[in-house]
Amino acid sequence: MKTRIKTLLADKPLGAQVAFAGWVRTKRDAGAFSFLEIGDGSSLANLQVIADAALGNYDSDIKALSTGCAVMVEGEVKASPAKGQEIEVLASRVEVVGWADPARYPLQKKRHSLEFLREISHLRPRTNVIGAVGRVRSYLGFAVHRFFQERGFVQVHTPIITTSDCEGAGEMFQVTTGLTPGKGEHFFGRPAGLTVSGQLQAEVYAMALGDVYTFGPTFRAENSNTSRHLAEFWMIEPEMAFCDLQGNMAVAVEMLKFLLDDLLAGCAEDMKLFDSFVEKGLLDKLRGVVEHEFAQISYSEAVERLLASGKSFTFPVAWGLDLQSEHERYLTEEVFARPLIVTDYPASIKPFYMRVNDDGKTVAAMDILVPGIGEIVGGSQREERHDVLLARMREAGIAIDDYQWYLDLRLYGSAPHSGFGLGFERLLQFVTGMTNIREVIPFPRTPGFAPC
Ligand code: 4AD
Ligand code: MG
């Protein structure tokens, strides 16, 4: 049975005979021995293997090893005299199972730029930094489920193919069979697309099961080539019945704090790497978010602050215009220097489903902005009043017939409810310090880019 290197490094079974496998990170020949640093991806740390020149395949194989080769090793765990490692393995057998021609293998020992690594997305998870992102992403995804499951939320698998455009921003990818027009033009009998959000279907289940959440891929055909946008990204969307905007914000804040706290404890080694090499001070930043209250202002106050700032922004600031990333970042980074919740946006710039406030002009919306990124959460209380919702949908030019089911929810046992969407990659950017969102998803899709 092979053991993971992470387990060996944690257990330190001195004197034990062990078997493990991995890839050569480096090799150093020292006369009667070769020192191999082996990593298997289970953690950042490598395990040092001492390969004696007396091994049968030493001259034929071991001497020819280079970075990237795959090996299976058997040997005895010893205390290591070398600095920075507690154990090493004296090999009784080193089998080379896959060579990596050093003249061709693109990942040599030196540091590569993240841009270069993006061009080789099939190899980049082998680097320390992208490997660490992969582990942190997996850990955090599980923590999301833990957070909700421990609080009694029910997970709903909302559809990926949908006939409703939740955000109504015309960013849906169309789903077709590619058949010629005529019979079978619309596989589902009407136009369908890839979901931009699971919210509307999550609302259906919230009106039956109470507190629910969906966590899955979402798609947006936005032609925006920014460091914060992907055409395919993952979103966490809780939806809570009998819950108003205050309750909604409370869940969002609790969730963010839980996730950061849990990550700092559970991925300490990888998080230290990001703190050292990606964003200095990252750990203190995240600890600060866990320990301090989030700031909160209304959209109207935000606009006042921006107008009073004396800053010259690229995009105009006026009540009724949406906040741009530069505005969001100024507020969260310079004015408050911590996460900021902005509430009560103008109805005219927000989707039809948000609940209209008593002023008739604003909606019970909330966005959470964080330093370095801007918006990571967008949510609202939902319009539960049938007549108000219908009027809003008509105003927005929505095909009412297609959304009869959504309106029905307001006819039979309608109840106040709220929810939000957390962009999983935006969260990963925040916790790893990665400036480009393309680094925190294994296979990024952006306009003109989807290599594998
Ligand atoms: O603000 P958005 O568009 O809200 C919704 O989709 C709601 N239906 C959510 C809900 O209330 N259930 O998107 C939510 C979050 C954003 O705050 C952002 O973090 C992320 O999703 N997001 C993106 N992430 C990466 N690439 C994109 N193109 C994104 N668009 C939104
Ligand atoms: Mg938004």
Side-chain angles (χ1 to χ4, degrees), residues 350 367 375 378:
K350 287 292 188 188
D367 276 7
E375 178 190 342

Side-chain angles (χ1 to χ4, degrees), residues 111-132:
R111 274 176 85 178
H112 298 285
S113 76
L114 294 169
E115 290 77 13
F116 168 73
L117 292 177
R118 241 178 263 150
E119 291 166 17
I120 47 167
S121 32
H122 59 302
L123 298 174
R124 70 175 186 164
R126 301 178 184 197
T127 62
N128 282 343
V129 73
I130 301 295

Side-chain angles (χ1 to χ4, degrees), residues 64-83:
L65 282 173
S66 56
T67 300
C69 292
V71 292
M72 291 168 69
V73 180
E74 289 170 22
E76 184 186 335
V77 178
K78 303 256 189 199
S80 175
K83 247 184 80 185

Side-chain angles (χ1 to χ4, degrees), residues 135-148 150-151 253-271 283 286-287 289-291 424 427 431:
R135 284 184 296 268
V136 163
R137 186 178 169 110
S138 164
Y139 186 92
L140 209 52
F142 187 53
V144 166
H145 286 292
R146 235 178 329 111
F147 175 82
F148 287 115
E150 283 171 3
R151 284 158 185 78
V253 171
E254 189 189 346
M255 177 193 66
L256 287 170
K257 290 189 175 203
F258 172 92
L259 294 176
L260 300 193
D261 191 42
D262 195 51
L263 181 66
L264 288 168
C267 290
E269 187 187 40
D270 288 324
M271 293 305 291
L283 297 179
L286 298 178
R287 181 61 45 214
V289 173
V290 174
E291 284 166 5
F424 192 45
L427 174 67
V431 301

Side-chain angles (χ1 to χ4, degrees), residues 282-322:
L282 176 75
L283 297 179
D284 287 341
K285 173 187 91 173
L286 298 178
R287 181 61 45 214
V289 173
V290 174
E291 284 166 5
H292 297 111
E293 273 190 36
F294 288 19
Q296 187 185 325
I297 55 171
S298 69
Y299 165 88
S300 300
E301 288 170 65
V303 169
E304 278 167 32
R305 296 263 192 163
L306 291 166
L307 289 173
S309 71
K311 295 269 262 194
S312 63
F313 295 107
T314 312
F315 290 92
V317 177
W319 202 96
L321 297 181
D322 207 357

